[in-house]
Amino acid sequence: MELKVIDIMSTQAEIKQQVREFYDQIGWQEVSAGLYQNAHYEDLRPVARDYIHRCHLRINQHIEHGGKYLLDAGSGPIQYPEYLEYSRGYQYRVCADISAVALQEARSRIGDHGLFIVADIANLPFKSDIFEGIVSLHTIHHLPEDEHLQAYRELNRLLAPSSSAVIVNGWPSSTLMRFFNPLIRLSNRGKYYFARLSGRPIKPKGNNSQQNKPRDRKAKGTFTSRHDYQWVEGTVGELMPLEILVWRSVSVRFTRTLIHRWLAGRFWLWLLYGLEERFPYFFGKNGQYPLIVIQKGQLSRSR
Ligand SMILES: C[S@@+](CC[C@H](N)C(=O)[O-])C[C@H]1O[C@@H](n2cnc3c(N)ncnc32)[C@H](O)[C@@H]1O
């Protein structure tokens, strides 16, 4: 029995070590000025820019706009300009991350406005109730599955009474994206045959213009695990008051395949954003990326 516990612990430690190495050596290496390898997982084309910008700023609707300390749990290097807005009214942005490279980069961006600490989101070395705001974006999914709940507990513990934390992670599967899968496959097949007929070189899977660069060949990604809506609503919602709204309902695969300037892509994303604002609970549940708000001291209203 004791041996089994040690086995599990070493697997957890190994997972974290692998994630840390990935971000230190690959994810937070700059591939061009101000752009990290990690940005390959984002759609940075002009046609998607406005939608993605507005989704990033959604976080601001749910956290306090000022205070002494904002915690950014799994801050990375604060890679997009919109991220700076979350802590604009705060005295300090406390960046916690297991990657020292991430924190060095974050320091080069925000200098004295930041406090930087190498720490694990499932065991954060802070006193309870001290953060007036918390954000944690795309980080909990790097933890072994059985530590997710502990991370939610930690964020809730650290929140000052009546304050809010915003957590963003993807669902393992999204009803909305499943609905569009046949269209995505059809579009990819069409592109393939069109390229063959016209004698154009066929791009490898994942139409990322950066993908052929030699340094990216070793970038295979790192460990992730995701819980579904029922788990967050039931298991986490039982322990703390939370709401599940929408951060962004479509995946990067969706936008890269189906959203194009010549197909009025900007308009469709504008419309989608409007619908997400109108029906945040529906898109939070059925879209790709929920925005989970923990409000300390409030009753749960998730649906
Ligand atoms: C996908 S990146 C997201 C970074 C940033 N939040 C963003 O949205 O750009 C995940 C970050 O979480 C950090 N991370 C992974 N596991 C962690 C853990 N157990 N504790 C703290 N940070 C962790 C990684 O080092 C990386 O910087």
Side-chain angles (χ1 to χ4, degrees):
M1 184 66 165
E2 207 169 289
L3 210 63
K4 207 167 174 193
V5 173
I6 292 169
D7 268 4
I8 293 169
M9 280 175 62
S10 69
T11 317
Q12 291 175 339
E14 277 163 25
I15 287 174
K16 288 180 192 173
Q17 179 63 15
Q18 195 252 328
V19 170
R20 180 203 310 266
E21 281 171 10
F22 172 81
Y23 279 102
D24 279 351
Q25 294 167 19
I26 299 172
W28 300 133
Q29 295 302 314
E30 266 190 320
V31 290
S32 59
L35 198 68
Y36 299 96
Q37 185 276 347
N38 183 261
H40 290 179
Y41 305 109
E42 184 53 281
D43 186 348
L44 300 174
R45 297 170 307 147
V47 67
R49 195 171 292 154
D50 194 41
Y51 173 69
I52 284 167
H53 169 76
R54 294 167 88 191
C55 292
H56 280 314
L57 292 183
R58 261 194 181 127
I59 308 286
N60 271 339
Q61 296 174 15
H62 304 282
I63 50 171
E64 287 299 320
H65 291 169
K68 189 159 188 195
Y69 298 115
L70 176 103
L71 173 66
D72 188 345
S75 65
I78 316 181
Q79 62 174 329
Y80 300 118
E82 293 90 345
Y83 285 8
L84 297 171
E85 298 305 318
Y86 311 152
S87 60
R88 193 167 289 287
Y90 286 79
Q91 200 172 338
Y92 294 108
R93 183 182 189 122
V94 178
C95 298
D97 201 292
I98 51 163
S99 158
V101 174
L103 297 175
Q104 280 155 13
E105 293 291 317
R107 184 163 50 194
S108 73
R109 281 214 162 66
I110 62 170
D112 287 349
H113 176 52
L115 300 169
F116 307 93
I117 177 153
V118 175
D120 176 5
I121 190 171
N123 293 288
L124 289 163
F126 304 111
K127 282 199 295 192
S128 302
D129 302 331
I130 55 161
F131 291 100
E132 288 107 326
I134 297 181
V135 294
S136 178
L137 313 177
H138 314 286
T139 297
I140 290 182
H141 67 206
H142 286 311
L143 285 172
E145 206 165 306
D146 48 6
E147 286 192 53
H148 287 205
L149 192 57
Q150 174 63 15
Y152 281 97
R153 274 206 184 99
E154 278 294 79
L155 299 180
N156 188 45
R157 176 181 72 77
L158 298 175
L159 260 184
S162 306
S163 302
S164 311
V166 168
I167 298 156
V168 173
N169 283 286
W171 296 129
S173 161
S174 137
T175 312
L176 194 67
M177 292 300 92
R178 275 203 308 279
F179 177 79
F180 282 104
N181 263 344
L183 195 58
I184 291 175
R185 276 199 295 271
L186 195 69
S187 164
N188 284 336
R189 213 169 295 158
K191 272 187 214 154
Y192 175 81
Y193 286 118
F194 181 74
R196 270 185 67 166
L197 282 175
S198 57
R200 286 207 211 135
I202 296 166
K203 279 191 190 170
K205 253 188 167 181
N207 54 349
N208 189 325
S209 59
Q210 304 273 0
Q211 215 147 16
N212 292 327
K213 292 187 176 174
R215 72 180 307 158
D216 299 326
R217 289 213 188 102
K218 61 178 179 176
K220 293 205 179 74
T222 187
F223 175 87
T224 56
S225 73
R226 294 179 166 84
H227 280 288
D228 62 12
Y229 180 88
Q230 282 70 26
W231 183 86
V232 173
E233 192 196 31
T235 309
V236 185
E238 200 177 322
L239 297 181
M240 61 197 78
L242 59 80
E243 285 194 296
I244 303 174
L245 304 123
V246 64
W247 179 62
R248 189 161 122 192
S249 55
V250 292
S251 65
V252 169
R253 179 166 172 259
F254 172 96
T255 59
R256 283 191 187 149
T257 313
L258 299 178
I259 297 295
H260 300 285
R261 197 167 53 87
W262 48 274
L263 280 175
R266 220 182 274 255
F267 167 76
W268 294 117
L269 290 180
W270 170 82
L271 187 64
L272 177 64
Y273 184 85
L275 287 170
E276 290 170 351
E277 287 290 290
R278 181 80 186 81
F279 305 106
Y281 297 101
F282 172 83
F283 285 99
K285 182 174 184 179
N286 298 296
Q288 185 66 58
Y289 295 101
L291 182 156
I292 298 162
V293 184
I294 299 173
Q295 257 184 329
K296 206 153 170 179
Q298 302 277 315
L299 288 177
S300 175
R301 279 186 285 140
S302 54
R303 47 199 83 175

